[in-house]
Amino acid sequence: MSVDAYLNFDGNCREAAEFYAEVFGLDKPKLMTFGEVPPHPDYPLPEEAKNLIMHTRLNIGGSNVMFSDVFPGMPFIVGNNITLAYVVEDEDKIRSAFDQLKVGGTIVMELQETFWSKLYGQVTDKFGIQWQFNLGMGEF
């Protein structure tokens, strides 16, 4: 059993998912658009929704992260209620991902040694997603 993060985007889900796949060295994600969903006669699909992403998923460091665009007319609120933690034992992978995610984003905390990790940092990427980077699991 797992707990997976699900991220919503305001029309740029395709760009975000492909960007994250590149950052973490993954295959290009399989993307399901709203236009691929079987039509429902009582709920016609607006033209502007057809190419929006209904669902995609990436496995980043062994954890599933799912993505979707919000449906037209639904509220989209950028918030700080989700942070993704990238925890690996490979310093090079942490540095590479951090360096790519900070482009166009904001560094919250530079990669550095902390009392719980030899390497830890935080960045908010260009899509407003907050990331934590931690070398290993430590004692916690």
Side-chain angles (χ1 to χ4, degrees):
M1 186 158 107
S2 67
V3 175
D4 301 329
Y6 207 112
L7 307 176
N8 290 309
F9 293 86
D10 194 20
N12 60 347
C13 179
R14 179 185 312 270
E15 178 188 359
E18 289 175 352
F19 174 73
Y20 296 137
E22 183 177 323
V23 166
F24 294 105
L26 305 172
D27 291 336
K28 193 170 181 174
K30 295 177 184 172
L31 304 167
M32 177 190 301
T33 65
F34 285 105
E36 294 175 280
V37 176
H40 190 290
D42 295 333
Y43 303 101
L45 186 66
E47 192 62 36
E48 66 270 20
K50 290 183 179 177
N51 289 319
L52 293 176
I53 304 304
M54 180 180 169
H55 179 77
T56 190
R57 178 181 58 182
L58 296 174
N59 188 282
I60 301 173
S63 297
N64 287 320
V65 181
M66 296 175 282
F67 304 78
S68 177
D69 280 313
V70 294
F71 197 78
M74 299 295 291
F76 176 77
I77 301 167
V78 176
N80 61 358
N81 60 331
I82 187 165
T83 299
L84 299 180
Y86 186 55
V87 181
V88 295
E89 298 289 342
D90 186 326
E91 185 174 333
D92 291 336
K93 285 184 179 180
I94 286 178
R95 290 189 185 283
S96 175
F98 186 91
D99 288 345
Q100 291 179 74
L101 289 171
K102 73 181 183 183
V103 175
T106 304
I107 296 171
V108 177
M109 181 178 177
E110 282 286 356
L111 288 172
Q112 59 192 275
E113 187 170 345
T114 64
F115 70 91
W116 69 87
S117 177
K118 294 285 183 191
L119 192 63
Y120 178 84
Q122 296 179 18
V123 66
T124 301
D125 71 23
K126 66 183 179 181
F127 298 105
I129 304 301
Q130 298 176 35
W131 293 85
Q132 297 181 57
F133 297 86
N134 198 55
L135 183 62
M137 291 299 291
E139 297 179 26
F140 302 108

